[in-house]
Amino acid sequence: MPRAAELACGDDRMMIGKTIHVTGVVQGVGFRPFVYKLARQHGLVGWVRNTSAGVDICAQGEPESLQAFLAALTTQAPPLARIDSVIAADCPPEHHTSFEIRYSEMRQGAFQPISPDIALCADCRRELLDPADRRYRYPFINCTNCGPRFTLITDIPYDRPLTTMADFALCAACEAEYHDPADRRFHAQPVACPDCGPQVWLEEGGDTTARGDAAIRQTVDALRAGRILAIKGLGGFHLACDATNTAAVAELRRRKGRVAKPFALMMADLEMVKRHCLVSEAEARILASPASPIVLLRRRPEAAAVAAAVAPGQAVLGVMLPYTPLHVLLFEDGMPPLVMTSGNLSEEPIVTDNADARARLPALADACLMHDRAIHIRTDDSVVRVFDDEELPVRRSRGYAPYPVRLPFDAPPMLAVGAELKNTFCVTRDSYAFMSHHIGDLENYETALSFEQGITHFERLFRIQPQQIIHDRHPDYLSTRYAQARAEAEGLPRLAVQHHHAHIAACMAENRHPGDRPVIGVCFDGTGYGTDGTIWGGEFLIADYRGFERAAHLKPLPLPGGDAATRKPARIALAYLLAGGLAPDDDLPPLRALPPVESGVVQRQVAAGLNTPLTSSMGRLFDAVSALLDICQVATYEGQAAIELEAVVDPAESGAYDFDTADVINPAGVLRQIVADYRAGVSPAASAARFHNGAARMIRDVCLRLSERYGLNEVALSGGVFQNVTLLGKTLPLLRQAGLTVYTHRLVPPNDGGLALGQAAIGFGSRDGVNAL
């Protein structure tokens, strides 16, 4: 029943009434109990309730009290609330003798933003470790300030019957907390305890070997013994092992089929993180934030306890802190750092379902720590770098999705389906762009199915029926094929958007650029389908939301074998040498790395133009340089050569290679300088630094020329190459010192994980038919 604060209204007081509508992330974050307490504090009567459109309030009281109440709604809101608007209107006073919290109300077609999953709060952590507390060592402890949200909600409004907790009936003690507005578990939808909530158990070889706390303790013992465990978490299963156990890490790589791509780590606390990594104040703040992402941190050179195989060829470690009560219990008794990587074979979606885990994980894990709280939507861990003391997203998922990006315009309902790699999609409504969780690379049936299920869930959750579908111009992307099939089936208009235009539009949109004037867009990435049928990726565009002009770009160079060449940077380096008129002598590392037969094939391919598509990609130039410096000749994951090139940069080196700065930028001169330095015995670290320094100066010089030509002074930097904080850190000051305003990414990744936002922005800008199919 609704709870009421008994506040008598005397006849001698002048009473006025207000109806108040609050929008934003205001459900599942303790907003109603906050309103309830605030109303009592100011002597008001009336009610508050959730609706599928936000939170509605009817408040009556003295004018001064109402004004103070209205101001406090935003200035004193709960820390997890994100208020977008507070709309108040006068209303005639009604007969209320109390302030109450009313039942939620569903409204046809209405929607409201949803909170992401939130890391364990300090209060729950304290109770978790308190032997006198009734939830002592209970791995599902939560409250209105923490715990699962997005991964368990099935529909709005956010109430327990519309979550995966619906099947867990509350015991009397939890029921009392749930209905007590003074309790921090008031209407905490996942609230539970050992008597009424989800449970854990350990399975091995098809048998349950332990339940409850015994299962957790056996898991700890198994990890200490060097075994590999599958552990069900918030958004899916992790595969875990002792990160200091070289044999365990190597075995996990073998089983998972993951040759060199870095593993994520979980460490007990900030003190442990600082023993292994260099941590700035901003990095420490983000590590301990409610989102609790994986943060890429510089590894301490003297810290060798973490096995080298965790992140081979890397100068950084990806580290997160325990963000669930179960994680905290794993580290309670001095556990060393743990590998915590996604529970799947490489390139498949993360496993979320117990039955699926029994079918797919025994080949990967020695045992599985299960639980019976269902995961409605899979969500991988988010990954960020820190640049200029702010977040630079690399993967935006748990802890962030589905927080919306606020658009600088009101958009119609649209669906933007993103790209092929690092896929996310985006649905829009009004001023909100709801970016999805990380889907992954759309290269297999399982991931494609997860993509379609995610779209269905978002459209239902946010009450969106798309009026238009936007997709990449590449005809063979699975996301493109989905858009084509659905548009045809539903009679919807669709829009094909050039890949790099979408990158620049994403950067503009997240910076709330109105699009009333173009910007100079610098988009550097690995690949994108160009309007001329070649592979683009080293682009200077004059762009707004309506269209773009390709003003400058890297010279297109041959890519022998097409996409297959990206796995062998040595082939790219050889092809680039040949195209630049440089002799491919046997003393150069790429020639030594390639068997003579393969080297001969590449040379004949380039000479004949056979299966050698042209690419202007800056990402491929990074690959070629990495191979020329003998840093990476074979890549087993996307971006490996470029990442390892950045890792060796000597920060003290101030020299720079001279880039061509014409409208068609020929990298042959840079390659010639690199070869000369290699033969002169210059270290790879110095050459890598000179390459980065030269690239930054080239960006500045080209932007200045375009600024003068077009009369523009705003620059947007986007594309996966700008995840490279070394390049970003060298480029940004040069542009700013030249008097240019620079936009970078802070809300969505610069890589293809942010592409759907730009597609949606272009969909809005093209409503008059520009670029329409």
Side-chain angles (χ1 to χ4, degrees):
M1 295 296 295
R3 287 300 186 101
E6 299 301 332
L7 297 168
C9 302
D11 294 336
D12 58 338
R13 296 160 56 192
M14 186 184 77
M15 304 287 287
I16 64 171
K18 293 276 187 185
T19 58
I20 305 163
H21 181 59
V22 186
T23 66
V25 180
V26 288
Q27 294 187 22
V29 294
F31 195 75
R32 284 180 300 170
F34 157 72
V35 171
Y36 174 89
K37 294 172 187 175
L38 194 64
R40 291 187 60 175
Q41 176 185 332
H42 290 284
L44 305 181
V45 295
W47 49 264
V48 59
R49 69 179 168 207
N50 279 348
T51 77
S52 48
V55 169
D56 283 351
I57 304 167
C58 174
Q60 296 174 195
E62 296 176 330
E64 297 81 5
S65 298
L66 268 174
Q67 285 303 115
F69 173 78
L70 276 170
L73 284 177
T74 52
T75 60
Q76 299 177 26
L80 299 182
R82 293 193 177 186
I83 296 176
D84 293 330
S85 67
V86 177
I87 302 170
D90 293 334
C91 68
E94 299 176 1
H95 181 67
H96 295 289
T97 60
S98 62
F99 196 92
E100 64 182 20
I101 298 174
R102 292 188 171 179
Y103 289 120
S104 298
E105 178 181 275
M106 180 73 75
R107 293 180 182 170
Q108 187 68 31
F111 80 105
Q112 59 114 50
I114 299 296
S115 169
D117 299 326
I118 300 298
L120 186 71
C121 71
D123 289 332
C124 284
R125 184 187 181 104
R126 185 168 52 253
E127 292 171 350
L128 176 72
L129 302 178
D130 179 1
D133 194 273
R134 72 186 189 91
R135 292 186 176 89
Y136 174 58
R137 293 185 61 83
Y138 181 57
F140 303 98
I141 189 172
N142 66 86
C143 69
T144 55
N145 298 320
C146 68
R149 302 287 193 278
F150 174 60
T151 52
L152 55 71
I153 186 170
T154 61
D155 207 341
I156 58 172
Y158 176 60
D159 285 322
R160 192 179 181 96
L162 297 177
T163 73
T164 59
M165 289 296 295
D167 292 337
F168 294 95
L170 293 171
C171 67
C174 287
E175 180 105 27
E177 293 171 331
Y178 183 85
H179 288 295
D180 182 0
D183 195 287
R184 79 173 198 280
R185 292 191 171 91
F186 174 74
H187 277 241
Q189 306 308 334
V191 67
C193 74
D195 294 332
C196 66
Q199 302 295 322
V200 295
W201 65 91
L202 189 65
E203 289 188 13
E204 183 173 355
D207 297 323
T208 299
T209 60
R211 292 185 178 276
D213 195 52
I216 298 171
R217 295 185 185 277
Q218 283 192 20
T219 298
V220 169
D221 292 342
L223 290 168
R224 289 185 182 281
R227 304 185 77 197
I228 297 168
L229 274 289
I231 300 172
K232 189 176 181 181
L234 276 181
F237 280 82
H238 283 113
L239 294 173
C241 73
D242 179 352
T244 66
N245 186 320
T246 300
V249 175
E251 177 62 13
L252 178 55
R253 285 204 176 277
R254 185 193 69 79
R255 294 184 190 180
K256 193 171 165 66
R258 192 165 178 167
V259 178
K261 190 175 182 180
F263 285 138
L265 297 175
M266 183 173 283
M267 298 188 187
D269 50 32
L270 192 56
E271 181 181 346
M272 179 183 283
V273 177
K274 289 181 176 179
R275 290 201 297 269
H276 296 277
C277 302
L278 300 169
V279 185
S280 69
E281 289 185 11
E283 289 165 339
R285 169 177 50 80
I286 294 167
L287 276 168
S289 69
S292 193
I294 297 167
V295 182
L296 301 183
L297 303 169
R298 292 163 295 165
R299 186 172 188 164
R300 285 189 178 276
E302 72 277 11
V306 170
V310 165
Q314 303 290 305
V316 299
L317 293 174
V319 182
M320 57 184 158
L321 295 176
Y323 58 84
T324 72
L326 178 58
H327 294 149
V328 171
L329 295 176
L330 294 179
F331 284 95
E332 189 184 7
D333 296 320
M335 177 71 74
L338 293 176
V339 168
M340 280 283 189
T341 189
S342 55
N344 55 1
L345 283 169
S346 289
E347 312 313 326
E348 290 185 359
I350 187 171
V351 173
T352 60
D353 178 75
N354 290 346
D356 197 23
R358 293 183 183 105
R360 294 170 58 193
L361 296 184
L364 304 178
D366 299 312
C368 293
L369 184 63
M370 306 275 206
H371 65 70
D372 55 355
R373 185 176 66 196
I375 298 169
H376 187 69
I377 201 82
R378 60 172 47 88
T379 309
D380 293 79
D381 293 314
S382 294
V383 183
V384 305
R385 300 192 81 166
V386 174
F387 178 75
D388 264 0
D389 290 338
E390 294 187 60
E391 294 179 9
L392 174 62
V394 175
R395 182 170 72 200
R396 183 182 186 269
S397 202
R398 177 191 52 78
Y400 298 89
Y403 270 148
V405 176
R406 294 298 302 277
L407 296 169
F409 44 76
D410 279 347
M414 297 183 294
L415 167 64
V417 296
E420 184 87 342
L421 302 179
K422 299 180 175 66
N423 179 268
T424 62
F425 59 84
C426 174
V427 293
T428 63
R429 181 167 177 173
D430 301 338
S431 64
Y432 294 113
F434 295 100
M435 292 290 293
S436 79
H437 51 298
H438 172 75
I439 304 295
D441 297 347
L442 295 180
E443 296 180 332
N444 55 60
Y445 170 77
E446 292 81 7
T447 310
L449 182 62
S450 177
F451 164 76
E452 294 188 20
Q453 291 171 340
I455 289 173
T456 299
H457 183 57
F458 267 61
E459 290 179 358
R460 180 177 63 252
L461 205 59
F462 300 116
R463 305 297 191 260
I464 290 172
Q465 293 182 319
Q467 297 175 5
Q468 183 181 34
I469 301 180
I470 306 100
H471 60 87
D472 194 273
R473 288 184 66 93
H474 198 298
D476 295 329
Y477 282 178
L478 287 181
S479 55
T480 298
R481 294 177 182 177
Y482 169 88
Q484 291 170 336
R486 183 169 174 190
E488 182 177 354
E490 299 181 15
L492 294 172
R494 63 182 175 90
L495 180 71
V497 171
Q498 200 282 322
H499 189 89
H500 302 96
H501 183 202
H503 271 304
I504 299 306
C507 186
M508 293 172 65
E510 77 156 76
N511 283 282
R512 298 185 63 79
H513 193 289
D516 56 347
R517 58 196 182 276
V519 302
I520 301 167
V522 185
C523 187
F524 288 173
D525 66 358
T527 185
Y529 191 73
T531 57
D532 59 0
T534 65
I535 303 168
W536 292 6
E539 311 305 312
F540 291 83
L541 308 179
I542 305 302
D544 56 22
Y545 299 134
R546 290 169 51 85
F548 72 94
E549 174 187 342
R550 193 186 193 196
H553 58 86
L554 291 183
K555 179 182 178 180
L557 296 174
L559 193 63
D563 286 344
T566 63
R567 294 187 286 276
K568 281 201 169 180
R571 292 173 65 98
I572 301 173
L574 173 55
Y576 280 22
L577 289 172
L578 292 167
L582 300 170
D585 296 327
D586 291 344
D587 67 317
L588 298 177
L591 276 295
R592 296 200 308 268
L594 291 172
V597 172
E598 186 174 3
S599 173
V601 169
V602 170
Q603 294 186 53
R604 289 191 294 274
Q605 280 184 296
V606 172
L610 179 64
N611 192 23
T612 54
L614 297 176
T615 178
S616 62
S617 166
M618 178 59 88
R620 298 293 78 83
L621 181 59
F622 269 78
D623 291 348
V625 172
S626 187
L628 279 172
L629 298 178
D630 205 16
I631 293 167
C632 180
Q633 306 293 352
V634 177
T636 61
Y637 62 92
E638 190 206 5
Q640 179 179 351
I643 291 169
E644 293 182 1
L645 179 65
E646 182 191 3
V648 305
V649 166
D650 178 0
E653 174 62 48
S654 60
Y657 294 132
D658 292 325
F659 272 74
D660 178 19
T661 57
D663 285 353
V664 179
I665 302 157
N666 189 343
V670 170
L671 298 177
R672 188 174 290 109
Q673 294 167 71
I674 291 171
V675 169
D677 274 357
Y678 175 79
R679 288 173 171 157
V682 174
S683 71
S687 286
R690 292 173 186 179
F691 176 71
H692 281 77
N693 293 340
R697 295 179 189 183
M698 178 269 289
I699 294 168
R700 175 200 58 194
D701 293 345
V702 174
C703 285
L704 278 176
R705 189 175 71 253
L706 298 179
S707 173
E708 293 174 4
R709 182 187 304 173
Y710 292 94
L712 304 174
N713 67 351
E714 296 171 293
V715 177
L717 304 178
S718 192
V721 170
F722 286 110
Q723 291 174 171
N724 181 326
V725 295
T726 301
L727 179 64
L728 194 58
K730 294 175 182 295
T731 303
L732 213 58
L734 293 178
L735 292 172
R736 288 171 174 165
Q737 289 162 15
L740 298 171
T741 299
V742 187
Y743 303 113
T744 60
H745 287 276
R746 290 289 182 265
L747 302 179
V748 302
N751 61 43
D752 284 2
L755 197 77
L757 176 63
Q759 291 175 341
I762 293 167
F764 170 80
S766 302
R767 289 174 303 163
D768 60 357
V770 176
N771 292 333
L773 293 174

